[in-house]
Each structure stands twice: as structure tokens, then as C-alpha cells.
């Protein structure tokens, strides 16, 4: 048995493909760089982060994109020796308009170099590619309608893609205008038996989310909806541990079983706040006598446990996920679980060579910046965890800060930082931001700043037993003193601040450095550890 979710922490909008005995899932990364997470498995139970293919300026540059924009809903497919990855780059969030540019890149090796992207269109988001049996390729996406008298989600279009021309050809056709649930997006197309099957995500990515299925004998429709309603949803079961279930993709195993991967979230008990963001779950589906796909567990509520047999040689993956990871920055590249924000030029933000054995962050713009933030972080994957880092930093004035940050986006974070001012000198303090309202969380009058000795390393720690968040510090890594003991970790959730469904990434924890005077004063981090605590 496998327990959902299979990809924990911020891993939404899954797209799955199989090549022989290998399975790959691609998920959205939004404003985080490099773009698109791809996990690998050989048993559908144990998954390893394999690569992030959008890793150079030609493939992706997110400078200036708003929070929760950037890379949306990739589609990963394989055909005749080549991997295909479609992805959206969304540059506008608020208002009636969406600037949504869609691209296609290919690779012969999934963890190798991906081609420079082919621009497809900008009519909407959630691009998808279908490889027909006759060798033709068809491209789908949802269409965004900005007109005030229409629904924003105007349906799914289909258009042929020519690999030779490197462009869409022929006329685009509206093949599906959605169901009563509205917000029709996330299309994936399949051929099985006599039918083309179209899966879409509907109802928005909040607590009304669903997966709908329609079918047609002709690729361009008309498509009839499954008369039984959504294939997967939690909208009718607010007490269920897997909420917001929707946006899925199908895969067939070598022995003819079908599995559906889909996004979900796990709100903190008694709340509607999903601290871990939208995660990826898996369900087995079966085909009915009349040709529809339904959950093998019955009904349409996502199962928490699914019958998948883990291979013996893969079981170590699950065990590793329950252990504390101690990272030393003594390699040429960051460990794969770290990301940074927006920029395709990370050398402007950090270096692993400037001081060997240390991650050096160059002081850059504020934590609210949408351009150059010196912030390196990893996903929060557990409701309760501990993270520790060791920092060396000698600020000269109040505009220079560095430390340990629990970060959701540019307007939602808790920050334990080292700085300096004329009154206390070098000191430790805490800053929190909720929405657009900046707070000095525990120290509104700066009366309790912790004075620090100069030219000495410092250990910083955060412990979360959700929703409680506690920052601490230590001079030796053994004896700890709490700095802030009553912060609210649930602030770092999709639903806090702007309302349900208005933001959709996830909580990170990591290291950052700011120099608002523009002198780029660096901070050095000797290591970083992350591990689960007992709930």
C-alpha cells in the first residue's frame, strides 16, 4: 500500500508519463527557479527528485513575475525516443487580463539538456500535447476570456502542431466548453479503444476542485461528459484528509492497470489552511462496462491509501524521506532539493566557490523583491520539522540583514535575521510579513533585540509543530535560546492573506541575505539541516 500524497510539499498540477518500467511526474514551480520539478519512480510508490529542466535563460527567465505566476501546469509526454515538455509562463495575475505564453521543449534524455523552446501561443494556460497513432501531434490549452460579460475560462481548444515547422498549424477548434463546475483548465487527451478521452480540471484549485472526464469518437468532438459527474473530488467531504482534489493525468502500467495522479492538499486539522501547499496523490482507476474510468476504490472521493506494491530495491527512498538531511556546501552545485526565486542568473545571488565549504549569499534586494532576492530554500514537506543553519555575517548598519527564513512568498514570511544598528550594534531579531502588512513580530518597539558578539559564527534554528513556529539561536549548536515562541506557521499557506484559491505555491525554509544599500555584503552559511519532528 502507498499512502497519499506521494509527492509531499509544494508539488501541484502533476503530469505523468511512462517509458518502459520508468515513470516520470512533472509538477509546477511557479516563481521558483529552475522551473518544473520532475520526479522518477519504477514502482509508482517511491519517488526521487530527478531534475528541473528549465534551467537556463533561453528556457526560462522569471524576473519580475508576480507571486504565484511563472511556470504553470507543465505537460510531460514521450514519443518515439523523445521527451516533450509543454509549459506556461504566466506574467500577470490580477485583473481581467492574463499574459500567458506557452512553450515546448524536447530532450532525448530526461535528465539531459533540453532544447531551446518553441513558442506556441498565448491564448491561455495549461498547455498539453497529444501524440496520435498516425504520427500527427495535437496541442490543447484552456482559453482565457478577458471580456467582462463572459466567464474567464472559455473552454479547451485543439490545434495541430507541426514538429517540422516548429509551430501550430491549421485552425484552432473549441472542443469542450466545460461543465457546470466552471473554471475548465488542465486538459489531457488520450486514445483508448474507440474513444478519445479528455480529462480537465474544473471548479478552481480551491476546495471546490474536481476532475471531469469527457469522451468522443472523434478527436475534435463533440465530447460528452461522464454522466456520473467528477472522477475525483473532495468538494462534498470537508472532513476528508485530502482536500482540493483535482487537476490530474492518467498513466497505464505495463500490465494494463490505470492510475491517475492528481493534486490535493492537507489542511491543518480544524482549519482551511494548507501549510504544505498543493501536493501530488495517486489513485487506481478502472474502466466500467460502458467505457468510463472510475476510481477503483469506488465513488469519487480520493483514497488515502492505494494498492501499489513497492519494489524492494526502491524501499530505501521512503526511509530516506523520514530522516534528517544534513547538507554541507562542499560541492560544485547545490543539493537538488534547493531552489531560488525567479532569476536565471544565480551567480548574481550566491556562490559555492567564493568560500569553499560555504554557501555565500550576496546581499541583494528585499524579501519583497520580484527581481533579485538572495534566497536559497527547500520545500517544507512535514507539518512538524526542525531546520538549522550556521551563519557568519558582519553587518555594518540596519540595511544589511541575513539569516533563516520561513517563506511562502514576497508578502508572507517569518524571518530570524542578524542585523546592526546604532543602539544595540550587531543583533538578532525577528520580522514577519502577513499580506502587505510588515510586522516586527516579537519586537514591535525593538526593545528585545538580542545583542550578538562580533566576528563569531551563530547557529539559527526553527521548529514547527504546526501551527506553532519557534525561532531559536545558539552560539555553539548545543545550548539554545528561544527568540520568538508564538509565531503562526499557518500564515505560510495558500489560503492565508488573499483568500482561498488566490495563491497556490507552498511553504519553504532556507537562507537569505539583503543589502538594501546596494553594497552586496555577503553572508556565509556553513550548512543546513532539515528533518521531521514527531507530530
Amino acid at each position: 500500500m502507498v499512502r497519499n500524497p506521494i509527492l509531499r510539499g509544494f508539488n501541484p498540477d502533476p503530469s505523468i508519463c511512462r517509458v518502459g518500467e520508468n515513470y516520470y511526474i512533472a509538477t509546477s514551480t511557479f516563481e521558483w527557479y529552475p522551473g518544473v520539478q520532475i520526479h522518477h519512480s519504477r514502482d509508482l510508490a517511491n519517488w526521487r527528485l530527478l531534475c528541473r529542466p528549465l534551467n537556463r535563460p533561453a528556457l526560462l527567465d522569471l524576473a519580475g513575475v508576480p507571486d504565484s505566476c511563472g511556470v504553470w501546469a507543465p505537460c510531460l509526454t514521450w514519443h518515439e525516443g523523445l521527451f516533450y515538455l509543454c509549459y506556461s509562463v504566466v506574467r500577470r495575475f490580477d485583473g481581467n487580463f492574463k499574459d500567458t505564453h506557452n512553450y515546448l521543449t524536447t530532450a532525448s534524455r530526461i535528465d539531459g539538456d533540453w532544447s531551446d523552446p518553441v513558442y506556441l501561443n498565448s491564448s491561455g494556460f495549461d498547455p498539453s500535447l497529444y501524440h496520435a497513432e498516425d504520427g500527427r501531434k495535437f496541442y490543447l490549452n484552456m482559453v482565457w476570456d478577458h471580456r467582462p460579460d463572459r466567464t474567464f475560462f472559455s473552454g479547451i481548444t485543439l490545434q495541430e502542431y507541426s514538429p517540422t515547422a516548429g509551430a501550430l498549424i491549421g485552425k484552432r477548434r473549441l472542443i469542450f466548453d466545460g461543465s457546470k463546475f466552471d473554471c475548465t483548465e488542465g486538459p489531457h487527451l488520450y486514445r483508448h479503444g474507440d474513444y478519445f478521452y479528455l480529462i480537465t480540471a474544473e471548479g478552481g484549485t480551491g476546495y471546490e476542485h474536481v476532475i471531469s472526464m469527457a469522451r468522443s469518437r472523434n478527436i475534435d468532438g463533440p465530447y460528452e461528459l461522464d454522466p456520473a459527474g467528477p472522477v475525483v473530488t473532495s468538494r462534498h467531504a470537508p472532513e476528508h484528509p485530502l482536500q482540493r482534489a483535482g487537476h490530474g493525468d492518467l498513466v497505464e502500467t505495463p500490465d494494463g492497470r490505470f492510475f491517475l495522479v492528481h493534486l490535493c492538499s492537507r489542511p491543518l486539522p480544524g482549519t482551511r489552511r494548507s501549510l504544505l501547499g498543493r501536493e501530488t496523490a495517486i489513485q487506481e482507476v478502472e474502466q466500467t462496462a460502458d467505457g468510463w474510468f472510475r476510481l477503483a476504490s469506488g465513488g469519487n472521493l480520493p483514497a488515502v491509501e492505494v494498492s501499489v506494491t513497492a519494489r524492494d530495491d526502491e524501499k530505501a527512498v521512503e526511509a530516506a524521506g523520514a530522516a534528517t538531511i544534513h547538507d554541507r556546501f562542499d560541492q560544485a552545485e547545490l543539493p537538488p532539493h534547493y531552489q531560488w526565486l525567479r532569476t536565471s542568473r544565480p551567480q548574481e545571488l550566491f556562490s559555492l566557490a567564493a568560500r569553499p565549504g560555504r554557501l555565500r549569499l550576496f546581499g541583494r534586494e528585499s524579501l519583497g523583491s520580484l527581481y533579485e532576492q538572495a534566497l536559497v530554500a527547500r520545500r517544507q514537506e512535514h507539518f512538524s520539522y526542525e531546520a538549522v543553519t550556521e551563519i557568519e555575517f558582519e553587518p555594518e548598519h540596519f540595511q544589511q540583514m541575513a539569516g533563516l527564513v520561513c517563506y511562502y512568498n514576497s508578502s508572507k514570511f517569518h524571518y530570524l535575521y542578524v542585523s546592526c544598528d546604532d543602539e544595540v550594534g550587531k543583533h538578532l531579531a525577528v520580522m514577519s510579513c502577513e499580506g502587505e502588512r510588515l510586522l516586527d513580530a516579537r519586537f514591535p518597539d525593538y526593545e528585545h533585540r538580542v545583542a550578538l558578539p562580533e566576528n563569531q559564527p551563530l547557529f539559527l534554528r526553527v521548529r514547527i509543530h504546526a501551527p506553532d513556529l519557534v525561532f531559536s539561536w545558539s552560539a555553539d549548536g548545543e545550548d539554545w535560546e528561544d527568540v520568538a515562541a508564538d509565531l503562526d506557521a499557518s500564515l505560510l499557506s495558500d489560503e492565508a492573506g488573499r483568500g482561498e484559491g488566490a495563491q497556490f505555491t507552498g511553504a519553504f525554509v532556507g537562507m537569505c541575505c539583503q543589502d538594501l544599500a546596494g553594497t552586496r555584503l555577503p553572508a556565509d552559511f556553513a550548512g543546513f539541516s532539515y528533518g521531521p519532528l514527531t507530530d
Side-chain angles (χ1 to χ4, degrees):
M1 299 292 285
V2 62
R3 187 171 181 84
N4 279 316
I6 53 172
L7 302 183
R8 302 194 169 200
F10 163 44
N11 276 288
D13 310 324
S15 173
I16 189 169
C17 77
R18 178 178 66 86
V19 183
E21 293 186 343
N22 296 289
Y23 299 90
Y24 304 97
I25 291 179
T27 54
S28 300
T29 45
F30 294 85
E31 65 262 37
W32 290 91
Y33 206 95
V36 178
Q37 293 220 124
I38 296 180
H39 284 78
H40 168 254
S41 176
R42 292 190 296 168
D43 60 8
L44 293 175
N46 295 287
W47 295 85
R48 292 184 179 93
L49 178 61
L50 183 64
C51 61
R52 297 190 188 96
L54 307 184
N55 57 7
R56 66 180 193 272
L59 283 162
L60 185 65
D61 194 335
L62 300 173
V65 302
D67 293 329
S68 289
C69 287
V71 178
W72 287 15
C75 174
L76 179 65
T77 56
W78 181 88
H79 189 249
E80 295 184 346
L82 204 61
F83 288 97
Y84 295 78
L85 181 68
C86 297
Y87 60 100
S88 295
V89 178
V90 180
R91 293 183 174 176
R92 179 183 171 90
F93 186 90
D94 293 322
N96 281 19
F97 291 99
K98 288 279 189 295
D99 295 305
T100 60
H101 308 308
N102 298 311
Y103 301 93
L104 172 66
T105 179
T106 61
S108 57
R109 284 179 49 90
I110 198 164
D111 57 352
D113 292 330
W114 288 72
S115 67
D116 285 353
V118 172
Y119 170 74
L120 297 170
N121 66 2
S122 300
S123 61
F125 46 84
D126 295 3
S128 179
L129 197 64
Y130 168 70
H131 306 275
E133 294 172 353
D134 62 2
R136 299 167 71 192
K137 301 186 186 302
F138 292 88
Y139 169 82
L140 305 92
N141 67 268
M142 67 78 64
V143 173
W144 183 265
D145 193 335
H146 64 271
R147 293 173 291 183
D149 60 336
R150 311 294 177 92
T151 177
F152 288 141
F153 294 75
S154 69
I156 305 301
T157 58
L158 179 79
Q159 191 171 0
E160 188 172 354
Y161 171 72
S162 168
T164 303
L168 299 175
I169 59 175
K171 183 178 180 181
R172 80 178 192 188
R173 300 183 294 278
L174 182 70
I175 62 169
F176 185 63
D177 58 4
S179 74
K180 65 180 182 180
F181 297 108
D182 198 17
C183 299
T184 305
E185 55 188 332
H188 292 288
L189 188 64
Y190 321 87
R191 177 71 182 268
H192 188 69
D194 295 331
Y195 288 98
F196 292 93
Y197 291 87
L198 177 66
I199 277 183
T200 59
E202 295 192 296
T205 195
Y207 287 84
E208 302 299 309
H209 211 19
V210 307
I211 294 176
S212 296
M213 181 174 285
R215 70 183 185 186
S216 174
R217 294 185 183 274
N218 301 305
I219 192 170
D220 55 357
Y223 282 82
E224 62 167 325
L225 274 167
D226 185 341
V231 179
V232 176
T233 185
S234 304
R235 60 183 288 143
H236 58 292
E239 74 290 345
H240 194 63
L242 301 180
Q243 289 294 310
R244 302 166 68 188
H247 200 122
D249 193 9
L250 273 173
V251 69
E252 185 177 5
T253 66
D255 60 358
R257 297 169 72 188
F258 287 91
F259 287 87
L260 176 75
V261 292
H262 64 92
L263 69 78
C264 66
S265 75
R266 294 177 290 161
L268 292 173
T271 78
R272 288 170 69 92
R273 289 191 171 184
S274 306
L275 181 58
L276 301 179
R278 297 176 304 156
E279 305 172 288
T280 288
I282 192 168
Q283 309 292 330
E284 185 170 6
V285 294
E286 298 174 337
Q287 197 166 24
T288 64
D290 55 355
W292 292 105
F293 288 91
R294 306 275 167 73
L295 293 184
S297 56
N300 58 12
L301 193 64
V304 176
E305 292 188 337
V306 177
S307 179
V308 177
T309 302
R311 294 167 54 129
D312 289 339
D313 56 349
E314 295 291 308
K315 290 180 180 178
V317 178
E318 182 178 0
T324 297
I325 297 175
H326 301 276
D327 293 317
R328 310 300 298 182
F329 300 118
D330 54 3
Q331 303 296 317
E333 296 182 352
L334 285 171
H337 38 268
Y338 291 99
Q339 285 184 277
W340 58 94
L341 288 162
R342 293 180 174 85
T343 183
S344 59
R345 295 170 289 278
Q347 67 274 12
E348 297 292 323
L349 307 181
F350 62 86
S351 172
L352 289 161
R355 186 182 173 191
R358 300 290 190 273
L359 171 63
R360 171 161 289 182
L361 296 183
F362 304 108
R364 299 309 305 267
E365 297 175 348
S366 72
L367 275 173
S369 172
L370 304 183
Y371 292 88
E372 293 185 331
Q373 274 201 47
L375 186 155
V376 171
R378 55 156 298 149
R379 282 159 176 74
Q380 178 178 340
E381 298 178 7
H382 306 85
F383 286 114
S384 298
Y385 75 87
E386 176 184 275
V388 179
T389 190
E390 181 184 356
I391 182 175
E392 295 178 61
F393 182 56
E394 298 301 323
E396 300 170 355
H397 52 73
F398 74 96
Q399 290 182 308
Q400 296 169 334
M401 296 168 282
L404 176 66
V405 65
C406 297
Y407 183 93
Y408 179 89
N409 64 19
S410 64
S411 63
K412 294 193 292 192
F413 55 80
H414 295 299
Y415 183 20
L416 176 62
Y417 66 95
V418 178
S419 189
C420 183
D421 62 23
D422 295 335
E423 297 175 359
V424 181
K426 183 180 177 182
H427 65 267
L428 191 66
V430 172
M431 180 188 303
S432 290
C433 189
E434 180 177 354
E436 299 299 328
R437 187 163 58 96
L438 185 63
L439 309 172
D440 197 49
R442 286 283 292 174
F443 317 114
D445 300 317
Y446 291 91
E447 293 176 352
H448 301 287
R449 287 162 291 171
V450 178
L452 298 173
E454 297 183 358
N455 301 311
Q456 289 188 17
L458 185 70
F459 293 86
L460 305 179
R461 182 181 75 185
V462 62
R463 282 182 169 174
I464 288 182
H465 287 280
D468 300 319
L469 185 155
V470 179
F471 281 129
S472 307
W473 74 281
S474 172
D476 57 8
E478 299 291 336
D479 297 320
W480 294 90
E481 180 179 341
D482 291 347
V483 182
D486 60 356
L487 299 177
D488 182 6
S490 75
L491 166 69
L492 311 174
S493 65
D494 295 355
E495 299 89 348
R498 293 188 62 170
E500 294 174 5
Q503 297 173 328
F504 25 80
T505 53
F508 283 68
V509 58
M511 303 148 282
C512 62
C513 183
Q514 299 82 40
D515 188 340
L516 306 181
T519 55
R520 302 193 182 189
L521 182 72
D524 292 334
F525 295 85
F528 192 90
S529 67
Y530 172 95
L533 297 173
T534 302
D535 285 311

